[in-house]
Amino acid sequence: MGAKGAPSRRRQGGRRLRYLPTGSFPFLLLLLLLCIQLGGGQKKKENLLAEKVEQLMEWSSRRSIFRMNGDKFRKFIKAPPRNYSMIVMFTALQPQRQCSVCRQANEEYQILANSWRYSSAFCNKLFFSMVDYDEGTDVFQQLNMNSAPTFMHFPAKGRPKRADTFDLQRIGFAAEQLAKWIADRTDVHIRVFRPPNYSGTIALALLVSLVGGLLYLRRNNLEFIYNKTGWAMVSLCIVFAMTSGQMWNHIRGPPYAHKNPHNGQVSYIHGSSQAQFVAESHIILVLNAAITMGMVLLNEAATSKGDVGKRRIICLVGLGLVVFFFSFLLSIFRSKYHGYPYSDLDFE
């Protein structure tokens, strides 16, 4: 036997055994309990995530866009765990809100969501939802949101960044533009499939029938085809449509106008030089037409050989049209391009 007070060692079968101190057993027991608790917590988190994804997939099987109130928003979007991205449209579709832009944006959003839902690439990594103001007022307040419609992307990890809010005012809300934005934020590429629209084909067929019928009725006298004034009017209509931004509207799909949700004021002119409303293009078309009419009258007054008094009146009317409406056009230009120094008549 060893001496009293020596370290607790024994030789047994030619081996040296070292015994742990008595105080280490509570520590090992605590460590074991902690590992068991962490493992149980991780398992619980995985089960919760699986339940959430299963519920979302079930909703998606019924409809491509599911509506959310405040409780659902907090559970499925704000609260972890989450391994999926969520696109949310914040809107106000109730009739009493009188938000025509919201209805137009909802149609494009529905086309986009259906394109994703029925595509071969559909999976549980991306979902589309909607929060209506009258069903989730608390959500609007929580996000300090005071306008609709608004599109936001909630990523699978982390909080939304500035780029996760779709720039609707600058880009418009066409389904193709939304799909491009989603691809930038999630790497999920959605090919947009629009339902067949035969209105253009029908309109073209009616136009061809009308022209064909007119030519048939006038088959014995086709001199009107060589009418310079008629072709000039057709050319001017095309020029007015193109210079007023109709093609931009067709590509970007902007709203007709914007209604301020706080004071109800309707804006027909967009405040940015990078965007416009449909109503704004109509206003520009009318202004360009009025200026052109003034120039035509001035030319008529200078080249005609009629009564001098009548020519003077035509000249004054043409000059008035050019000065007034061109000044109005410049004032709109100045409101969009801040700092533009030139003006004629001040309409501000």
Side-chain angles (χ1 to χ4, degrees), residues 240 282-295 297-298 316-334 343-347:
F240 292 152
H282 294 167
I283 294 173
I284 299 300
L285 188 149
V286 172
L287 293 179
N288 286 337
I291 294 171
T292 303
M293 178 59 69
M295 296 300 297
L297 292 177
L298 286 174
L316 292 176
V317 172
L319 183 62
L321 287 174
V322 171
V323 172
F324 181 83
F325 288 103
F326 188 73
S327 299
F328 197 2
L329 188 64
L330 278 181
S331 67
I332 295 176
F333 191 81
R334 291 179 63 192
S343 63
D344 198 347
L345 298 178
D346 193 358
F347 288 92

Side-chain angles (χ1 to χ4, degrees), residues 223-238:
E223 293 182 0
F224 70 94
I225 295 179
Y226 304 99
N227 190 312
K228 296 182 180 180
T229 303
W231 286 112
M233 295 296 294
V234 172
S235 300
L236 282 176
C237 291
I238 296 175

Side-chain angles (χ1 to χ4, degrees), residues 24 30 139 146 156 215 258 325 342 345:
S24 63
L30 180 62
V139 178
N146 54 16
L215 291 176
H258 175 70
F325 288 103
Y342 304 108
L345 298 178

Side-chain angles (χ1 to χ4, degrees), residues 67 89-108 130-134 140 145-151 168-169 173 254-262 264-266 277:
R67 305 174 76 96
M89 181 178 75
F90 298 91
T91 185
L93 294 175
Q94 296 301 320
Q96 64 269 20
R97 300 299 174 187
Q98 298 181 355
C99 183
S100 59
V101 180
C102 296
R103 291 191 291 271
Q104 297 171 11
N106 182 56
E107 293 175 359
E108 294 293 317
M130 175 192 305
V131 177
D132 193 282
Y133 180 80
D134 293 282
F140 278 74
M145 193 171 297
N146 54 16
S147 63
T150 300
F151 297 93
L168 183 146
Q169 298 293 339
F173 48 72
Y256 187 82
H258 175 70
K259 184 176 182 180
N260 192 312
H262 297 294
Q265 183 179 0
V266 180
F277 297 131

Side-chain angles (χ1 to χ4, degrees), residues 119-159:
S119 69
S120 58
F122 175 73
C123 62
N124 59 3
K125 297 301 181 183
L126 179 66
F127 297 99
F128 290 84
S129 64
M130 175 192 305
V131 177
D132 193 282
Y133 180 80
D134 293 282
E135 299 172 0
T137 308
D138 53 338
V139 178
F140 278 74
Q141 295 175 351
Q142 180 182 352
L143 298 176
N144 294 324
M145 193 171 297
N146 54 16
S147 63
T150 300
F151 297 93
M152 285 190 65
H153 164 242
F154 292 87
K157 296 181 180 179
R159 296 181 177 181

